[in-house]
Amino acid sequence: MKLEQILDKLGSIEKNSFIKIIDNIISNSPKNIKEIDKILSTSDKGLKSVDNQNISKIFALTSEEFQQHIKCEFQEITSQLDILIDIIIRDGNCIMKRDWFSRLYDKEIKHLKGRIKVLESDFKNEKSELSESRKRDYKIYKACLHTAYKNDIENNRDPKITSDELSIILTLSKYLGLSQEEIKLINYSIVPIKKLDIQDVIKDLKNIGVIFYSNKENTVYVADEMVRMLRKIREKEVAEKFYRRTLKLLRQPIINQIAREHNIDRNLSHAQKIEEIIKEGVSFTNLLTDNIYKNETTLTEKKKTLNELCEKGLNISNLRGSTLDEKIMNLINHFENVERDEKVGISLDGFDKLLSELNQSLPKLNRDIKEQFELQDEFVLKADYLLDYNIKPRDILDLIVKSDLTKFIKDYGIKQRGDDILNILEHYKDVENLYLENYENVAYRNLNTLKENGISVKESELGQKFEDLTKTIFKDLGFNVDDTFKNKLNTKKDMMDILLNLGNEEIIIVECKTSKERGYNKFSSVSRQLKSYQNLALKNDLRIVKILLVAPEFSDDFVTDCEMDTEMNLSLITASTLSNIYEAFKTSKYEEFPYVLFRDIVINEERIIKALKK
């Protein structure tokens, strides 16, 4: 769930710790202070009176400083921050009831204690499966950590690892090739784990700003933006779902090799080993730099292998980068962009239909998804529910074994040639709703983004498509989009786009404009056009209640010219605003949109959405 959505759910007291941290960062003049000041200049009472959308923007502008603030908390080695963060950044754990969080915490502590016993036994056992070189790596790291932690006691101070010591230890762990899980096990073999009270855990995490807690709902919320930040701090470069997607493309001997390298039980199944590699926190970069190749593989061969993995397996053509490191970084950036993208890849209706039919074909899937993502609800195969956890159609399909995918494809007559997952996504695309979800991209004539989101359209068709989509929106808002009446009124010279017939000889005229350029700035030409439509309607004894101009955005000059016009009852509405009003209307009590709300020069989205929610 996005930060702005979470902030909308909470009261001011529940947001207070987070706001205080950002306020403190701002007081120390962060890197982006000029941009922050521009946002704050609209508020007289400082950050506390800024709306949630702008708080989200300010958080993005202070992300580097906020990340440093969290890193400082890691100096307190007894804080268990690594354990707790590893729980809350897992796919599916961004929304948790308090009791569920407590159960996950208990389970993690128990799991760690068991693993520590096994590790200590492997240290002593000459016949353990740990290689001598790996034992040496562990012993070196453990000795250095022991010295960093215990030297304070010898100097009559509380044991603590300083930031300098921590940076050296992190560098050491990196060059020894230790996973996050291996580091954790060694850390807590020196500093024994004490189980904390869950309310204290929640309070501590809330105070450092990494979670929000709703007292009313007894629910922990972790914003998507925060999850990405915490992942960087834990040096987990990609989300688990993307890591899994990549590992599933590797041959079994390679998975076995990685498992052996990081002391993962070789008796586990192939799928279980993949999950353990993910849980271990094995570096994604190290995986693609060294772990998936044979020892004698040349750099050129590694680049070729990575390109093939991306093109044939991940459907990413032309992975950019001249060096292996650049290619890996671009792949990580690709996954991050996919995660940030709010588009689902298929329409919401298509996602719901997919989940419904998957549930019918594969009755155990609900249980499997629930367990995989550690979700607490009993029935989880609901599109809106999963999207709150940032779980998309592809993430669900990635978890289904090949034999079950084949069964599902046959059950529902889905195309069988080619890639199974891509065929399924194409089958459930639901093009009309997918276009509506990309309404703003159509307005901006953003052809590349439309293609990335699964829409194939010619640029010459975008103007008509924008008009058709706008008609659909107004129909769904309860208006009578009267094409018959419009066609009677239109002449060869004057052809209005959309006419909304309100009855009793009253109409609303809607004009649609697409534009690649930022800031629509052609008032003189569009005003002549609209005035001719107005005259046409008046000649036919019609009362024009409103003229609406829909465009991707409007320049300041355009808005000023519109304000100065005294001849038309004209309002301007951006494609984004109309789309958001449309979404809010779907869940409102109204069957028909109250058009009296269209009364501003530039339609105020926030005011209208608040009115619809009443």
Side-chain angles (χ1 to χ4, degrees), residues 79-90 93 96 101 105 108-109 112 184 188 196 198 200-202 204-205 210-211 230 234:
S79 70
Q80 297 184 9
L81 200 53
D82 50 357
I83 297 173
L84 297 167
I85 284 179
D86 285 350
I87 293 171
I88 65 179
I89 64 175
R90 281 184 207 142
N93 286 352
M96 296 177 282
F101 186 26
Y105 173 61
E108 191 71 11
I109 296 290
L112 274 172
K184 234 175 10 184
Y188 289 107
L196 305 173
I198 197 63
D200 291 335
V201 167
I202 289 170
D204 290 344
L205 290 175
V210 299
I211 69 166
L230 294 175
R234 296 294 291 139

Side-chain angles (χ1 to χ4, degrees), residues 40-57:
L40 292 176
S41 65
T42 60
S43 168
D44 298 329
K45 298 178 182 177
L47 191 60
K48 285 189 178 180
S49 62
V50 170
D51 64 45
N52 294 330
Q53 186 179 36
N54 279 319
I55 289 174
S56 297
K57 288 178 182 176

